[in-house]
Each structure stands twice: as structure tokens, then as C-alpha cells.
Amino acid sequence: MDTLEAIKGRRSIREFTDEPISEEILTEILDAARWAPTTSNQQRWRFIVVTDPTVKEMIKKVSPGIFALPAAFIVICIEKAADATPWDEWTYAADCGVAAQNMMLAAFALGIGSCPALSFAKEAIGEILDIPEGVEPALIVTFGHFERLPEPPERLPLSRIAHADRYGKGWEA
Ligand SMILES: Cc1cc2nc3c(=O)[nH]c(=O)nc-3n(C[C@H](O)[C@H](O)[C@H](O)COP(=O)(O)O)c2cc1C
């Protein structure tokens, strides 16, 4: 699939079929995350792939932002520096977002739907997944086969969100 086609065609999927995702595809999705850029190439993200039905139910229970039980969750965690500053915390969030988008685009190109979720109980997720001290779950992404691609939610026009040379002069193309 063409990159722009994937970027524009991907939608957040909140209804999945029961079909499992092959290990080969999950590995490809993880590899897409591995190739994401990170601040100073720090690569502090860690990825927990959850396909066990019992563990999936436990994750869903503590995640109000997750509406469907997917074939797989990938919990993106950050292995924090011992002396992490507020600046580091900001880079961690950015790095996780970039990795998540790589995974969602790769998944979409491979015919798999996904949805990111920030709305989950961090502490509970830490306990369920045995996440050690100093590692923080930052973002959860659901993955699964899907039957229907939702209509795209409206996007603001470029003239509203992009500026030419300085803030205030809307981009007109
Ligand atoms: C950081 C982040 C957190 C999100 N959290 C949730 C969530 O908790 N639950 C959910 O259903 N969707 C979540 N979304 C998905 C957005 O609602 C969705 O991307 C937006 O409505 C645009 O739709 P689209 O992804 O189909 O283009 C999140 C998206 C991002 C980028």
C-alpha cells in the first residue's frame, strides 16, 4: 500500500472480528515501531504484546477508553532514565506517539485495524503485566481484523491549522 494511502485511509477501529493475528504480522507491526525515530535515538520504548484471552479481559476492565476486545493489545511502555527530567518525560511521550503511528500504519497496510487508547489505569496495567519499577505504560494500541472501516471523522482545513512563515497567516493552497 502507498504510504499516503495508508496515512489517509487508516481509521480508529473499535469493532474487531474474532480472527487472531498471525505472529508474522505482529512481528512486522513491532518491527515498524522499532524503525520509528526517537529523541537522540534513545529507543526507550518497550512493547508488551498481549494475546492471552484472560489477560486481555483484565486489561479491558481497567481501560475505559477501550471499547472492543481486540485480537491483540500492544502496550507501549517507556523505560525511564533514573534521573529523568520533565524534558525527558516530554520526549518519552513524543517517542511513544511516533512509534504508535508507525505500528498503526503498518497494521493498516497489512489489513489490520487498530485504535490507540490513553484512557487506562496505569497502576492496574502495571500490576496485570508485571511491569517493573522505572518502566511506565504510556499508550495502549488495540489490533484486530475488521469488517467495516468507519467514515472518517472530520478534519480541520489546512488554512485553519497551518501557517505560512509566521503564526496567524493561514496556509492557502
Ligand atoms: C493519543 C491518543 C489517544 C487516544 N485515546 C483513545 C481512547 O482512549 N479511546 C478511543 O476509542 N480512541 C482514542 N483515540 C482515537 C481518537 O479518538 C481518533 O484518532 C480520532 O477520533 C480520529 O479518528 P481516526 O483515528 O479514525 O482518524 C486516541 C487517539 C490518540 C492519538
Side-chain angles (χ1 to χ4, degrees), residues 55-75:
V55 185
K56 285 196 299 186
E57 286 287 355
M58 290 165 80
I59 291 177
K60 186 166 178 297
K61 241 183 222 163
V62 298
S63 308
I66 293 173
F67 301 101
L69 203 62
F73 287 107
I74 296 184
V75 180

Side-chain angles (χ1 to χ4, degrees), residues 10-12 14 65 67 115-119 139 153 155:
R10 178 215 58 82
R11 293 277 69 80
S12 289
R14 299 181 180 90
F67 301 101
C115 187
L118 263 184
S119 178
L139 190 60
R155 292 309 203 254

Side-chain angles (χ1 to χ4, degrees), residues 5-14 16 104-105 108 112-116 146 148-155:
E5 198 185 326
I7 289 171
K8 293 180 185 179
R10 178 215 58 82
R11 293 277 69 80
S12 289
I13 303 290
R14 299 181 180 90
F16 300 107
M104 294 188 289
L105 291 179
F108 186 64
I112 301 293
S114 64
C115 187
F146 62 98
R148 208 182 59 80
L149 204 57
E151 284 299 311
E154 204 179 319
R155 292 309 203 254

